[in-house]
Amino acid sequence: MLRKARSVFWLAMFPVILLLSGSLSPVWADEKADRRYQVNMEPGVTAVGADIFSLHMLIFWICVVIGIVVFGVMFYSIYAHRKSRGVTPATFHESTKVEIAWTVVPFLILLGMAVPATSTLIDVYDTEDAEIDILVTGYQWKWKYEYLQDNGENVSFFSNLKTSQEEIYNTDDKGQFYLLAVDEPLVIPVDTKVRFLVTAYDVIHSMWVPELAVKKDAIPGFINETWTRAEKTGIYRGQCAELCGKDHGFMPVVVNVVERDEYDAWLADKQAQAAEIAALMEQTFTMDDLMARGQDVYNRACLACHGANGEGGVGKAIAGSAIAMGPIDGHFDIVINGSRANAAMQAFGGQLNDVDMAAVLTFQRNAFGNNMGEMVQPIDVYNYKQGQ
Amino acid sequence: MGDHHHGPAKGLSRWLFATNHKDIGTMYLWFSFAMFLVGGAFAMIIRAELFQPGMQLIRPEFFNQMTTMHGLIMVFGAIMPAFVGLANWMIPMMIGAPDMALPRMNNWSFWILPPAFLLLLATMFMEGGGPAFGWTFYAPLSTTYAPPSVTFFIFGVHILGLSSIMGSINIVATVMNLRAPGMTYMKMPLFVWTWFITAYLLIAVMPVLAGAVTMMLMDIHFGTSFFSAAGGGDPVLFQHVFWFFGHPEVYIIILPAFGVVSQIIPAFARKPLFGYDSMVYATASIAFLSFIVWAHHMYTVGMPIAGELFFMYATMLIAVPTGVKVFNWITTMWRGAMTFETPMLFCIGFVVLFTIGGFTGLMLSIAPSDFQYHDSYFVVAHFHYVMVAGAVFSMTAAVYYWLPKWCGKMYNETMGKTHFWISFIGFNVTFFPQHFVGLAGMPRRIPDYALQFADFNMMSSIGAFIYGASQLLFLYNVIATIVGGKPVSDEKVWEGAEGLEWTVPTPAPFHTFSTPPQVR
């Protein structure tokens, strides 16, 4: 059915596509050529997704049939009952029987649609018996994934857009997964029921991965549930679906579905990394280490609002800023706790670990010509947080 | 006619102090067309930015302002006032009334509109920019995270809600009190019926919208927490209140369009409307159902399954009365003697494209499928099929149909037909591919998109420029008609036209039906 639907659409659009691709073919070659003329929903890699897809096709074909009948009658009438053919208009203008018929028949068709729709909806809502629980939190404009563990430390990390500003602003070639690549994807095991607990930190977001048949609004202050069970390994890409401000189009959801043992190894590795960060917190870093790490952190956490050269944008300028060049406590306060006056400046205290926080503060105080010459160490961050 | 009856006042005071339904109708129509061009210009900016992947012309924050203003201006500034203008012109002439029942309020309900929209447009020049949270302005993006200009936006919405409520009261009062002797309810033209029902919808839901924006105002300035969980409120409450207004709102837009099509198709089929009674009952059923389906805009917010099922079943039911209407229009054409002047072409375009929009609406009503469609371009395609090919096409048909009666001159038929074909093709090239990208996973309201969506978006943009340009042809045709069109003097401009408005002289004099006609 899928193939058929595609070819019908394709045939219908063929002349237009041909015309456009001949004369206006874009210069950027899309390596994902198979997706380029995708005209229909994907059944995806889950049982629910396949059910939704067949429901979608069922209603689609019912609509096509009704459309052919209705438009067929209309166009025949337009052809046959025109004044230029010398017809005399009829005068009939009502029939209760006919009206009842075309009230009852559509109603019965709708009943037929309601049955499979109801059973699929019940499946979509069945979040029971999941093996893995992941807390998904939408932030302006990134996702945080936290693996809730019954025993041992929770693993949590942020997932940021990897596409560079240069690609977005056309000074660099656009990569294959332009706007759909992240620095760190969500990782889940194949053939395992995974429950997502979805919420948001600031405004409403919506987690959408078409091939996993997952879409759920992330609402600040409330936790929604949804689930998936991927039957095939691979990387599945989606985007935030609810308008959430400036960079709504720039916060993809990327899910890497892997074999179970690979997942277990990955999780163990993440837990080890968490322990490593804990160890790093006790270290003292050199200026060069802090600046290098700080640049990375800046690029993923600050750049979107404050600009590549600290020149500002949505956010205030950091180059020459009174905060970045003022007393360190003020700088700690705004970055760790966010701005009370301007909600767009988030509290990064919970988003960055103390090492990254120290690095980015050092970077901001010394880059872009700020040249304060002072370093911030993880222990300083720790002490500030403890002190408040 | 006594001596104290005379023609319009001279100069600006004719318009500023207008109480004549025709003058006020004219002002509404021109105002809405101006807003249509402004909203259209915003759409052109959106499509220009989406012509290619990457950010070329504007910044994401400005893009969001454009989508927001495009929606607000088109819904509240273009479509609604256009139909109010049409109601002003036509309802008194269709029911044999000398004017609207409340002429001074009529003046007021028009004249508060331009300041409201000036205020709304002015927000774009304020610090922090204009509203950038979509025409649905979901909290907390529109409260805690909104630019300061949101307060002006709220005031603007209050004013235009006031205007709509006053306009609606006027229509209800006119229809109930000023019908000519013998014009019983079940003899009223369908355009009057659909507007009568629409007016009640407006009176019911505009205060709800006012409530929603007032709660926003309180949250922003007075420390309440209606929409903030941190203070015991709920962001989803906003969506329930908004869509309790918003769903009837879409029927407010489309019901008068149904009325227009029900007037025009019989005229050019030269055959009475089929199933008049069932058309009235279908309109009333749609109006009733519109109050109990609002949460189908919110299938993904995490409602309990019982709520989800209720809203799904109720929404599916709307297909029944809507289907009845389409079947009645087609049966009206059946065995008629049709000609295809511009108004008829736009009505046929309406029936075809609105029905396609209805089909996608039915698909969207299916809650589990909607989990994939929701907030994707599939939705954008759907509502443009019903809003543009529905409301705007029927409004265009109405202008071509009644323009000769209004100004006593005939428009250029060739130019009218050209306008139709360019619009029809441009519209479909714009919006049909949006079904594809939506199903393939492109979210709505994004300023930039993944490379796989590039071709269809380029196609969409080209279509949009064609459709946009065709509206300038429309403007030219209308002005050329008024200035130098071929005069018509027949009372009945169209051979098959029926109704009281075709019994008055052409062009319609300043005062009509000073003595009520007798309807048999």
Side-chain angles (χ1 to χ4, degrees):
Chain A
M1 201 112 102
L2 162 66
R3 291 269 158 245
K4 208 169 164 191
R6 275 189 179 162
S7 51
V8 168
F9 272 123
W10 240 101
L11 272 177
M13 294 311 294
F14 193 69
V16 192
I17 293 166
L18 204 67
L19 197 81
L20 284 173
S21 55
S23 53
L24 296 157
S25 170
V27 285
W28 58 89
D30 187 356
E31 292 166 54
K32 229 179 166 191
D34 58 324
R35 281 277 170 100
R36 200 161 143 193
Y37 297 117
Q38 184 182 338
V39 293
N40 200 0
M41 191 190 280
E42 300 246 352
V45 292
T46 63
V48 168
D51 286 349
I52 289 176
F53 177 77
S54 43
L55 195 57
H56 158 74
M57 292 315 294
L58 172 74
I59 316 266
F60 171 75
W61 284 115
I62 291 174
C63 289
V64 168
V65 170
I66 296 172
I68 289 172
V69 172
V70 171
F71 295 150
V73 171
M74 190 180 90
F75 283 114
Y76 173 77
S77 177
I78 287 172
Y79 162 77
H81 308 139
R82 48 172 67 216
K83 198 185 172 202
S84 56
R85 289 169 62 101
V87 293
T88 347
T91 51
F92 66 87
H93 59 86
E94 63 186 346
S95 160
T96 312
K97 280 183 199 149
V98 171
E99 299 286 353
I100 290 174
W102 63 40
T103 306
V104 172
V105 172
F107 184 77
L108 295 176
I109 297 175
L110 290 175
L111 273 184
M113 293 176 179
V115 175
T118 304
S119 80
T120 307
L121 189 66
I122 290 170
D123 284 348
V124 170
Y125 263 73
D126 179 18
T127 52
E128 299 288 308
D129 304 322
E131 278 184 56
I132 297 173
D133 286 334
I134 302 174
L135 178 65
V136 177
T137 312
Y139 282 71
Q140 281 182 325
W141 293 277
K142 60 197 134 209
W143 296 94
K144 181 188 180 188
Y145 305 120
E146 184 166 4
Y147 291 68
L148 306 176
Q149 306 289 343
D150 289 337
N151 34 34
E153 284 292 298
N154 287 347
V155 164
S156 89
F157 57 89
F158 281 83
S159 182
N160 298 284
L161 178 72
K162 205 164 100 186
T163 306
S164 69
Q165 295 291 304
E166 288 74 26
E167 288 174 69
I168 294 170
Y169 287 94
N170 313 306
T171 51
D172 204 350
D173 287 345
K174 296 182 185 356
Q176 186 184 0
F177 297 112
Y178 177 69
L179 297 186
L180 295 178
V182 292
D183 54 357
E184 197 170 1
L186 182 65
V187 178
I188 59 170
V190 74
D191 291 327
T192 307
K193 186 163 182 176
V194 178
R195 183 170 69 141
F196 299 110
L197 301 160
V198 187
T199 186
Y201 172 79
D202 33 46
V203 299
I204 300 176
H205 303 267
S206 186
M207 181 200 195
W208 182 23
V209 185
E211 286 154 302
L212 297 182
V214 163
K215 186 185 281 143
K216 205 74 179 180
D217 290 0
I219 297 163
F222 292 84
I223 295 179
N224 270 329
E225 286 183 322
T226 185
W227 67 279
T228 192
R229 187 194 170 92
E231 288 166 355
K232 235 177 96 190
T233 57
I235 296 177
Y236 304 106
R237 294 164 199 275
Q239 287 181 271
C240 177
E242 182 64 60
L243 178 64
C244 56
K246 175 176 85 83
D247 282 347
H248 162 55
F250 304 91
M251 50 180 291
V253 185
V254 180
V255 183
N256 189 6
V257 178
V258 297
E259 295 296 342
R260 184 71 202 217
D261 48 354
E262 201 179 324
Y263 169 78
D264 290 336
W266 171 85
L267 192 68
D269 190 43
K270 290 301 281 185
Q271 282 173 320
Q273 271 180 32
E276 200 179 315
I277 290 287
L280 278 177
M281 309 257 276
E282 291 161 18
Q283 275 186 37
T284 307
F285 290 84
T286 66
M287 187 66 151
D288 288 347
D289 286 345
L290 286 170
M291 288 299 280
R293 194 179 185 105
Q295 169 95 63
D296 285 349
V297 179
Y298 182 87
N299 287 351
R300 78 183 137 89
C302 318
L303 182 142
C305 295
H306 294 286
N309 299 307
E311 72 274 23
V314 174
K316 296 201 166 111
I318 291 186
S321 138
I323 294 174
M325 300 178 73
I328 184 68
D329 276 4
H331 202 176
F332 272 139
D333 182 41
I334 189 96
V335 182
I336 291 177
N337 301 322
S339 165
R340 281 157 210 85
N342 174 11
M345 177 59 205
Q346 303 167 9
F348 283 89
Q351 300 188 34
L352 302 176
N353 63 52
D354 292 357
V355 180
D356 286 345
M357 179 65 75
V360 81
L361 288 174
T362 308
F363 180 76
Q364 290 185 356
R365 295 179 84 75
N366 294 286
F368 317 132
N370 287 353
N371 300 330
M372 294 291 285
E374 64 180 302
M375 282 189 280
V376 181
Q377 295 293 346
I379 187 69
D380 301 329
V381 178
Y382 179 81
N383 287 340
Y384 179 83
K385 282 182 172 173
Q386 290 299 307
Q388 55 173 353
Chain B
M1 233 197 245
D3 284 339
H4 60 285
H5 276 135
H6 31 68
K10 295 276 173 282
L12 196 63
S13 59
R14 169 175 180 180
W15 304 105
L16 212 51
F17 307 126
T19 49
N20 180 286
H21 73 102
K22 299 184 183 77
D23 279 358
I24 294 174
T26 303
M27 289 194 290
Y28 263 113
L29 290 171
W30 278 114
F31 174 76
S32 64
F33 196 80
M35 285 295 121
F36 182 59
L37 293 183
V38 172
F42 293 164
M44 294 301 110
I45 294 173
I46 293 170
R47 283 318 320 176
E49 177 54 56
L50 293 174
F51 189 67
Q52 290 188 339
M55 301 301 301
Q56 283 87 17
L57 307 170
I58 55 177
R59 294 257 158 188
E61 48 272 47
F62 188 69
F63 182 90
N64 288 345
Q65 292 179 38
M66 287 292 99
T67 51
T68 307
M69 293 304 254
H70 167 70
L72 288 171
I73 297 270
M74 286 305 198
V75 169
F76 295 105
I79 299 177
M80 288 173 67
F83 281 117
V84 179
L86 205 55
N88 258 293
W89 252 101
M90 301 319 299
I91 288 178
M93 280 165 64
M94 283 177 159
I95 61 173
D99 205 308
M100 296 294 280
L102 308 162
R104 287 184 200 284
M105 192 165 86
N106 206 6
N107 172 294
W108 187 229
S109 58
F110 171 75
W111 275 111
I112 60 176
L113 271 187
F117 281 94
L118 280 178
L119 195 64
L120 207 55
L121 289 168
T123 57
M124 291 200 294
F125 302 98
M126 293 178 188
E127 201 188 330
F133 30 65
W135 86 277
T136 52
F137 48 101
Y138 280 8
L141 189 63
S142 62
T143 54
T144 322
Y145 294 82
S149 64
V150 66
T151 308
F152 293 90
F153 155 82
I154 290 171
F155 189 46
V157 171
H158 273 136
I159 300 175
L160 54 92
L162 213 57
S163 160
S164 289
I165 291 172
M166 290 196 290
S168 304
I169 291 173
N170 209 347
I171 286 167
V172 170
T174 307
V175 171
M176 287 186 134
N177 297 302
L178 297 187
R179 279 170 292 123
M183 175 64 81
T184 59
Y185 279 109
M186 290 310 274
K187 277 186 189 161
M188 292 194 309
L190 255 160
F191 178 72
V192 179
W193 253 118
T194 52
W195 242 118
F196 188 49
I197 291 169
T198 301
Y200 276 106
L201 288 183
L202 274 165
I203 293 169
V205 301
M206 274 298 164
V208 179
L209 177 67
V213 293
T214 307
M215 285 192 269
M216 282 168 61
L217 188 75
M218 303 289 278
D219 272 13
I220 294 168
H221 293 293
F222 304 111
T224 57
S225 300
F226 290 109
F227 307 132
S228 159
D234 184 349
V236 178
L237 171 67
F238 175 85
Q239 298 182 26
H240 282 292
V241 180
F242 178 83
W243 286 114
F244 188 82
F245 146 79
H247 199 80
E249 167 69 19
V250 304
Y251 293 110
I252 286 165
I253 287 171
I254 204 66
L255 290 183
F258 288 168
V260 166
V261 173
S262 304
Q263 299 299 131
I264 295 178
I265 289 183
F268 293 94
R270 292 166 182 76
K271 185 164 156 278
L273 182 70
F274 186 81
Y276 172 92
D277 293 9
S278 74
M279 285 300 229
V280 173
Y281 301 142
T283 310
S285 316
I286 293 173
F288 167 73
L289 287 172
S290 78
F291 285 105
I292 57 166
V293 297
W294 76 88
H296 67 218
H297 297 269
M298 305 161 53
Y299 281 146
T300 61
V301 295
M303 269 185 294
I305 189 163
E308 201 99 342
L309 286 172
F310 169 79
F311 285 108
M312 175 169 84
Y313 299 149
T315 306
M316 291 169 78
L317 274 184
I318 292 184
V320 174
T322 316
V324 167
K325 285 191 158 288
V326 173
F327 300 144
N328 278 328
W329 288 322
I330 291 174
T331 315
T332 305
M333 294 183 204
W334 187 257
R335 290 185 51 211
M338 278 186 273
T339 50
F340 302 93
E341 287 86 346
T342 311
M344 183 63 162
L345 286 181
F346 271 100
C347 284
I348 292 171
F350 169 96
V351 173
V352 173
L353 300 178
F354 176 80
T355 304
I356 293 175
F359 287 146
T360 52
L362 180 62
M363 294 170 81
L364 284 157
S365 77
I366 308 293
S369 309
D370 184 72
F371 276 89
Q372 294 284 37
Y373 308 137
H374 182 77
D375 267 336
S376 77
Y377 256 82
F378 190 76
V379 177
V380 177
H382 158 73
F383 70 72
H384 281 95
Y385 267 80
V386 289
M387 294 284 106
V388 180
V392 177
F393 270 32
S394 87
M395 190 62 219
T396 314
V399 170
Y400 282 116
Y401 183 57
W402 281 301
L403 187 63
K405 173 58 73 182
W406 296 339
C407 69
K409 290 172 188 156
M410 196 47 155
Y411 63 86
N412 182 324
E413 191 64 62
T414 314
M415 215 190 292
K417 284 180 175 166
T418 312
H419 171 215
F420 168 75
W421 284 109
I422 301 179
S423 287
F424 185 84
I425 293 166
F427 171 83
N428 283 294
V429 174
T430 311
F431 294 106
F432 207 73
Q434 294 187 358
H435 292 114
F436 302 158
V437 289
L439 292 174
M442 180 170 163
R444 62 191 284 208
R445 293 169 166 167
I446 55 173
D448 193 7
Y449 47 82
L451 301 179
Q452 71 191 75
F453 307 125
D455 300 270
F456 286 134
N457 268 289
M458 186 179 278
M459 203 183 292
S460 208
S461 292
I462 293 169
F465 301 144
I466 296 171
Y467 181 77
S470 76
Q471 302 315 309
L472 298 177
L473 185 65
F474 179 41
L475 177 65
Y476 175 79
N477 200 358
V478 170
I479 292 175
T481 307
I482 295 169
V483 174
K486 208 176 100 207
V488 253
S489 51
D490 281 0
E491 282 153 13
K492 210 164 144 173
V493 177
W494 309 103
E495 187 195 3
E498 296 287 342
L500 287 178
E501 79 266 35
W502 304 107
T503 63
V504 301
T506 305
F510 195 59
H511 293 291
T512 39
F513 296 124
S514 301
T515 332
Q518 186 67 44
V519 181
R520 263 164 287 121

